[in-house]
Amino acid sequence: MSLLQLDYHASALEGMTIKGEKHGDLWTIVKRLEPKPTSGGNFSVCYDVRNSSGRIAFLKASDVKLITKFSGKLTPAERLLAATSEFLFECRILDACSGNSLDKIVTALDHGSVTFEHNGIQDVVFFIIFEPAVGDVRSSAVRNAVISPAWFLKALHNVAVGVSQLHRLKIAHNDIKPSNVLVFDRTLQKLADLGRATSDDISGPWDADHCVGDLTYTPPEMWGYKFDPKRIFNKITFESRAPCDIYLLGSLMVFFLAGEALTPILRSFLQPHHRAENWNEDYEAVLPYILTAHDEAMQLLRKTIESDWDQKYHVYLLDLLPLIAGLTCPDPRRRG
């Protein structure tokens, strides 16, 4: 069942006029956007919006029920607290990015909340309004524009700069993937969706959780093995978070070259008894087997480049392999 078939308050905003709480602008919610398959948009509903001066923007909305739908048994008060905490944290992270002129991170124009009755139930909807993009790097419009590796190499450069900008502020994104790289024109791409970010300087809901991103993309130490990241008072440090972003950047390179993220490829080269669900020892003990699987994945990537890309690009694309191997090294101590 799709998100829009479910009865969430966040899916009932079309036609409403809402007021941003940061700048006080009035925004008319023009059109609800259909979720894309595998977009990762499990916790929000998206809309095109327009303000009183005619500016077009993109709105991400969520409500208490939607944000906490996988949170287990919580009281209504606990659900409200959890949803509010997640929303306020994302706003603080976005404000920190905007205040420090992080130009490769999607800009939040405003945010706020609105309470209304829907189907006889009253609930609060949280919203964040962003600068509009053409789409993400998977969109057909973008694929049609890619006539050489030059486009995706520029996109990777922009993402790498975005990661560097976040890391200078001791912010880890934790969820870098194709659907979170938005396209603004042929030469500008930005990192989006900081809902799963963590920060050394801003307390947030994910501080104690080791793996907070999409499991399809996470590095191997986050697959469920016994692995202890560095913590300060149960808060995982940025030093332990940063290697995840580095791996995800390398995995994005694999996606552009092979059309698939690295994590499923890596898992396919592991014997069943070396997978996290069947391994009883710690990550250090299984690491040699994952390193071997990683070598095999890099060999497969070489073959994919040679078979799927025009020969005139081989010399340039094959030069990327040592870089990708370093960025995605299964040993986070050596990664990058």
Side-chain angles (χ1 to χ4, degrees):
M1 183 179 293
S2 74
L3 176 66
L4 297 183
Q5 291 174 308
L6 301 177
D7 191 24
Y8 293 112
H9 280 59
S11 65
L13 298 179
E14 202 168 73
M16 293 179 60
T17 297
I18 57 176
K19 185 176 183 179
E21 295 174 1
K22 184 177 180 180
H23 300 298
D25 286 349
L26 292 175
W27 295 87
T28 299
I29 302 177
V30 179
K31 181 184 178 182
R32 186 174 62 194
L33 304 176
E34 291 293 330
K36 296 178 181 178
T38 68
S39 67
N42 293 320
F43 302 97
S44 61
V45 184
C46 299
Y47 296 86
D48 283 331
V49 296
R50 182 178 60 246
N51 69 1
S52 54
S53 63
R55 182 175 189 177
I56 301 296
F58 171 85
L59 180 141
K60 182 176 78 169
S62 198
D63 55 49
V64 175
K65 183 179 176 183
L66 186 52
I67 293 174
T68 62
K69 66 177 182 175
F70 296 134
S71 298
K73 294 181 179 180
L74 298 177
T75 66
E78 288 171 333
R79 288 185 179 277
L80 179 60
L81 177 61
T84 304
S85 297
E86 289 187 30
F87 169 70
L88 291 177
F89 172 75
E90 186 172 1
C91 290
R92 292 189 187 108
I93 287 285
L94 288 165
D95 285 346
C97 294
S98 177
N100 285 277
S101 301
L102 272 57
D103 63 340
K104 295 302 187 292
I105 307 299
V106 173
T107 301
L109 306 177
D110 216 330
H111 46 70
S113 60
V114 57
T115 302
F116 64 97
E117 187 175 300
H118 175 59
N119 288 344
I121 300 173
Q122 187 156 313
D123 199 0
V124 58
V125 173
F126 305 100
F127 63 85
I128 303 176
I129 299 170
F130 296 94
E131 58 181 327
V134 174
D136 62 52
V137 293
R138 306 164 306 163
S139 67
S140 59
V142 170
R143 285 198 301 270
N144 292 338
V146 180
I147 57 175
S148 79
W151 185 91
F152 83 75
L153 290 171
K154 179 64 176 176
L156 285 168
H157 171 75
N158 286 332
V159 175
V161 172
V163 171
S164 176
Q165 290 176 341
L166 288 174
H167 285 193
R168 284 204 301 270
L169 297 183
K170 299 298 177 69
I171 295 172
H173 188 287
N174 300 314
D175 201 22
I176 300 167
K177 55 187 179 181
S179 62
N180 287 339
V181 180
L182 299 190
V183 177
F184 289 80
D185 57 42
R186 285 182 63 87
T187 62
L188 179 60
Q189 302 79 27
K190 297 185 182 185
L191 263 177
D193 197 348
L194 291 169
R196 296 280 160 166
T198 51
S199 167
D200 268 7
D201 299 324
I202 305 173
S203 296
W206 318 114
D207 286 349
D209 297 342
H210 185 208
C211 180
V212 299
D214 190 325
L215 296 176
T216 307
Y217 299 90
T218 51
E221 70 270 16
M222 294 183 177
W223 294 352
Y225 296 105
K226 296 174 185 176
F227 182 89
D228 293 319
K230 293 181 180 179
R231 298 174 185 265
I232 298 178
F233 301 116
N234 204 35
K235 179 186 177 82
I236 298 176
T237 64
F238 169 77
E239 180 184 356
S240 289
R241 298 282 192 191
C244 174
D245 281 358
I246 301 303
Y247 174 93
L248 294 173
L249 177 62
S251 178
L252 190 65
M253 298 176 75
V254 175
F255 169 80
F256 279 120
L257 289 167
E260 186 177 6
L262 177 61
T263 292
I265 300 173
L266 261 183
R267 285 185 173 135
S268 72
F269 284 113
L270 279 180
Q271 295 296 321
H273 55 283
H274 294 146
R275 295 172 185 168
E277 61 270 23
N278 302 318
W279 189 259
N280 295 320
E281 298 181 60
D282 61 15
Y283 186 70
E284 195 70 26
V286 79
L287 184 56
Y289 303 105
I290 301 179
L291 286 168
T292 298
H294 185 259
D295 288 341
E296 292 179 284
M298 294 301 103
Q299 292 173 23
L300 177 62
L301 182 58
R302 173 181 290 274
K303 293 177 182 177
T304 301
I305 292 171
E306 292 173 342
S307 63
D308 292 1
W309 287 86
D310 192 304
Q311 187 174 1
K312 64 183 178 182
Y313 300 129
H314 288 180
V315 64
Y316 307 108
L317 298 183
L318 292 175
D319 275 349
L320 295 175
L321 287 176
L323 177 60
I324 296 171
L327 291 173
T328 61
C329 179
D331 187 346
R333 295 165 299 189
R334 294 164 49 196
R335 190 173 299 155

